[in-house]
Amino acid sequence: EDAQNLLDTANAALRRARSDAALAGTLRLIVPVGAPDDLRSVAVQALRQHAPDLAVHVVEADDPRRLANAEFDVLIHFGEVLPRPGWYSRVVLHLPLQLMASPHYLATAGTPASLADLAQHSLLTWRCGGQFEGSWPKAAGGSFPIEPAVSSQNALLLGRLVVDGVGIGLLPTSGPLAPPETAGLVPV
């Protein structure tokens, strides 16, 4: 009986969502800390344009996946897909990553030629959905341990620090999280 009630409720909600009826109420949106304001703004504006009577409650979380058991309507996160029964989950963006440094930093600190050399540098890492904090991926697969001098969930901040010569960073090289000034950076 409980299962049938749950199924009936889910089917009724699906019919309402597919109908032309106006959406109203509150949509709970969980986003990662450090997500660009432009992206969050576009998402909220699109929701409000589609459903002007819908209130949007935005919650920022260090790792939104940790709130997967909280009440929410939309959860945006970095990292692997969270497969759960009854969820609609999809990859919306792939972010290519690359080690980058400013020419000034490399002229001052030297260009690493090996992983051992890299360990001697000031490393800036993006805490992206629990990834990359203590290790970085190798181009050929696998990973290697790092001890970051700076870590942040804000890729744009890290990009700015790399541009300013603070160290070598693992950064998105394209897309909305890529630092706008990457044209002057050097791949390492």
Side-chain angles (χ1 to χ4, degrees), residues 1 44 80 117 157:
E1 183 180 336
V44 170
E80 299 298 318
D117 289 349
L157 168 64

Side-chain angles (χ1 to χ4, degrees), residues 64-81:
R65 296 171 310 157
R66 291 185 182 160
L67 298 178
N69 294 323
E71 280 194 37
F72 66 90
D73 300 295
V74 177
L75 183 142
I76 299 172
H77 67 91
F78 297 114
E80 299 298 318
V81 170

Side-chain angles (χ1 to χ4, degrees), residues 120-144:
Q120 304 306 309
H121 284 266
S122 175
L123 305 178
L124 290 73
T125 193
W126 181 33
R127 290 191 323 266
C128 167
Q131 304 177 79
F132 314 130
E133 191 158 3
S135 66
W136 279 351
K138 293 181 181 178
S143 63
F144 61 95

Side-chain angles (χ1 to χ4, degrees), residues 54-112:
L54 187 66
V56 179
H57 179 80
V58 179
V59 174
E60 292 182 293
D62 285 346
D63 184 356
R65 296 171 310 157
R66 291 185 182 160
L67 298 178
N69 294 323
E71 280 194 37
F72 66 90
D73 300 295
V74 177
L75 183 142
I76 299 172
H77 67 91
F78 297 114
E80 299 298 318
V81 170
L82 294 171
R84 287 246 172 119
W87 283 17
Y88 175 72
S89 183
R90 65 188 282 187
V91 174
V92 295
L93 182 65
H94 288 280
L95 295 171
L97 301 173
Q98 188 167 16
L99 292 179
M100 306 290 280
S102 72
H104 173 75
Y105 176 82
L106 294 175
T108 304
T111 301

Side-chain angles (χ1 to χ4, degrees), residues 137-181:
K138 293 181 181 178
S143 63
F144 61 95
I146 62 159
E147 291 187 31
V150 179
S151 67
S152 174
Q153 290 184 267
N154 190 325
L156 296 173
L157 168 64
L158 291 173
R160 180 77 247 163
L161 292 170
V162 169
V163 167
D164 290 344
V166 174
I168 297 171
L170 181 65
L171 301 174
T173 55
S174 65
L177 295 176
E181 306 88 356

